[in-house]
Amino acid sequence: MVMILTAVGIVVAAFVGFNIGGSSTGVAFGPAVGSRLVRKTTAGALFVGFAFLGAWTVGRNVIETMSSSIVPAIQFTPVASIIVLFFTGASLLISNLYGVPASTSMTAVGAIVGLGLATGTLNQALMFVIVSAWIVSPLVCLTLGVVIGRYVYPYLDRYVAFTTFNLQFIQFDRSSTVPRPFINPNASPQDVVGSLLVVLIGCYMAFSAGASNAANAVAPLVGPGGSLTVNQGVLLAVGAFALGSFTIARRTLETVGDDITELPILASLIVSVIGGTVITALSSFGIPASLAVSTTSTIIGLGWGRASRISTLAELVTPTPDRPDVAVSTGALVTSRAEDAPAGPTIGDVARGEESAEKPDETPNIPDIGAEGPADIDQRSLFDPAAAKRIVTMWVLTPSLAIIGSYPVFAFLL
């Protein structure tokens, strides 16, 4: 019976890792694939390689925390491990049904908390640290996004260009026996630098995803009470990531999700750097945290910061009657000038086969904050309070449901 339960646990863990690999590959390499810098197969291979590097180095700290520090490792019996993994997988289902990037890490920890509460073995001091990190890290990402969007983004957008190519960035000359690679002849030196940056940041995101997500798939199975060593757990998680990366990720790489695809490529890179850095830092301390929460917080902050450039700080607090095109309050931000602004190429433009707005031949002047002039964004990048409330609600709801669901199971059925 123990062997059967262990096998079931491994299958469930592989299923969780399969879903994580499928979704995370799209987030990490969507910009690169959408811009035709790398092919889907190449993106999958890069994701698996760097996710393995992140899981093998930084990720084992998170695995140790979730497998033995929140509750003693001895509590993870084969049945308890399956239950925890079940609620982790359920979080992916809930997030997909509601179209919200809910946190697998937070939900997995929530299921473990239910186990700890039911058995009286919860490490409350550690949970205080983890919950504090969950509150602070999104606020840090949100703040950085606002500051960069309001004060830095227009200047980066002015000088940094990303081209979407009709053909792949790397071509192959197959006239000889051995194919010889060469760079797309339509690429300028600026394109080459920008393209390499897009791919490198995708690799960095894959590293962060491996560091933070390996534990979500295998932590309950690792340790003295489990059936796998840490090294075996990492290999199982990354193997499941790979299966998802080369199968269901092909679809997520095409669409990347409705919200993400409408981000200009430059904005998506900023989001990746901020979100990935915060999660890598937390993972290095063994704190399980959500890459989805960090990146989404950055998206919200960056969009609001860019939209708020049309008004001064004083006008953000109190809209003035002589500025009818600006209305900023706790509930809305509206601009009538957004449709006049050329947008940078987005991943969605390429996925739908649409032509992205072209930049003018001459570099335009950037209007001062609060000054009249063309906005630097289009309507798709405005801050949406309703969507933000829905996202934050799901972030709180999914781990709460995991605790509420797992506690009675562990308390009364085991």
Side-chain angles (χ1 to χ4, degrees):
M1 179 61 68
V2 173
M3 293 182 62
I4 292 175
L5 291 175
T6 299
V8 172
I10 291 175
V11 170
V12 175
F15 175 74
V16 173
F18 170 79
N19 283 280
I20 292 173
S23 60
S24 298
T25 303
V27 173
F29 284 97
V33 172
S35 302
R36 295 189 175 90
L37 301 179
V38 297
R39 292 171 171 80
K40 294 173 186 176
T41 303
T42 305
L46 289 173
F47 178 84
V48 172
F50 282 90
F52 171 76
L53 186 60
W56 191 266
T57 56
V58 180
R60 61 180 58 244
N61 298 332
V62 185
I63 292 176
E64 181 178 351
T65 296
M66 293 181 64
S67 64
S68 61
S69 298
I70 298 176
V71 299
I74 196 64
Q75 296 295 333
F76 285 109
T77 62
V79 174
S81 299
I82 293 173
I83 293 173
V84 169
L85 290 171
F86 168 79
F87 282 104
T88 303
S91 73
L92 295 175
L93 176 61
I94 292 173
S95 65
N96 288 331
L97 289 177
Y98 285 90
V100 175
S103 169
T104 307
S105 297
M106 293 167 66
T107 307
V109 171
I112 296 173
V113 168
L115 171 62
L117 291 174
T119 57
T121 58
L122 180 66
N123 186 337
Q124 298 182 14
L126 177 59
M127 277 309 304
F128 176 80
V129 173
I130 292 174
V131 173
S132 297
W134 288 353
I135 296 173
V136 172
S137 58
L139 293 177
V140 170
C141 292
L142 182 73
T143 302
L144 290 174
V146 170
V147 172
I148 292 175
R150 183 172 171 83
Y151 299 106
V152 180
Y153 186 91
Y155 299 94
L156 292 176
D157 192 42
R158 184 184 187 190
Y159 296 107
V160 178
F162 293 100
T163 298
T164 54
F165 301 107
N166 293 325
L167 299 174
Q168 295 292 336
F169 179 66
I170 300 296
Q171 301 291 305
F172 288 91
D173 181 359
R174 304 183 185 278
S175 58
S176 58
T177 304
V178 179
R180 181 175 58 86
F182 64 94
I183 296 176
N184 190 317
N186 294 325
S188 66
Q190 189 177 21
D191 290 330
V192 173
V193 174
S195 299
L196 290 176
L197 185 62
V198 171
V199 175
L200 288 176
I201 292 177
C203 295
Y204 179 55
M205 280 289 283
F207 178 91
S208 299
S212 62
N213 281 321
N216 298 328
V218 299
L221 302 176
V222 172
S227 54
L228 301 177
T229 65
V230 174
N231 290 348
Q232 290 172 335
V234 169
L235 293 176
L236 173 61
V238 176
F241 291 171
L243 186 61
S245 295
F246 288 106
T247 53
I248 58 174
R250 301 183 69 85
R251 183 172 178 81
T252 62
L253 283 167
E254 290 177 358
T255 62
V256 194
D258 291 338
D259 293 332
I260 302 298
T261 57
E262 304 307 341
L263 278 179
I265 296 175
L266 174 61
S268 70
L269 296 182
I270 294 173
V271 168
S272 299
V273 170
I274 295 176
T277 299
V278 169
I279 292 305
T280 300
L282 291 176
S283 299
S284 66
F285 289 103
I287 297 176
S290 171
L291 187 61
V293 169
S294 295
T295 54
T296 306
S297 298
T298 310
I299 289 171
I300 293 173
L302 187 66
W304 190 90
R306 294 173 63 199
S308 71
R309 280 187 55 83
I310 59 176
S311 50
T312 64
L313 290 177
E315 289 169 336
L316 288 174
V317 178
T318 306
T320 58
D322 60 330
R323 292 298 302 275
D325 60 334
V326 178
V328 182
S329 66
T330 57
L333 188 153
V334 180
T335 173
S336 63
R337 294 185 279 122
E339 63 271 13
D340 298 329
T346 71
I347 307 161
D349 292 335
V350 179
R352 291 186 296 268
E354 299 176 358
E355 292 292 334
S356 57
E358 296 181 356
K359 290 181 177 288
D361 295 333
E362 296 182 1
T363 303
N365 292 325
I366 299 174
D368 294 332
I369 292 178
E372 293 290 342
D376 79 303
I377 56 174
D378 63 3
Q379 190 68 30
R380 298 173 301 184
S381 298
L382 292 178
F383 170 68
D384 185 348
K389 291 177 183 178
R390 180 166 59 94
I391 290 171
V392 173
T393 299
M394 289 301 297
W395 288 347
V396 177
L397 183 60
T398 49
S400 300
L401 289 176
I403 297 174
I404 295 171
S406 65
Y407 175 79
V409 173
F410 290 121
F412 303 111
L413 298 182
L414 297 181

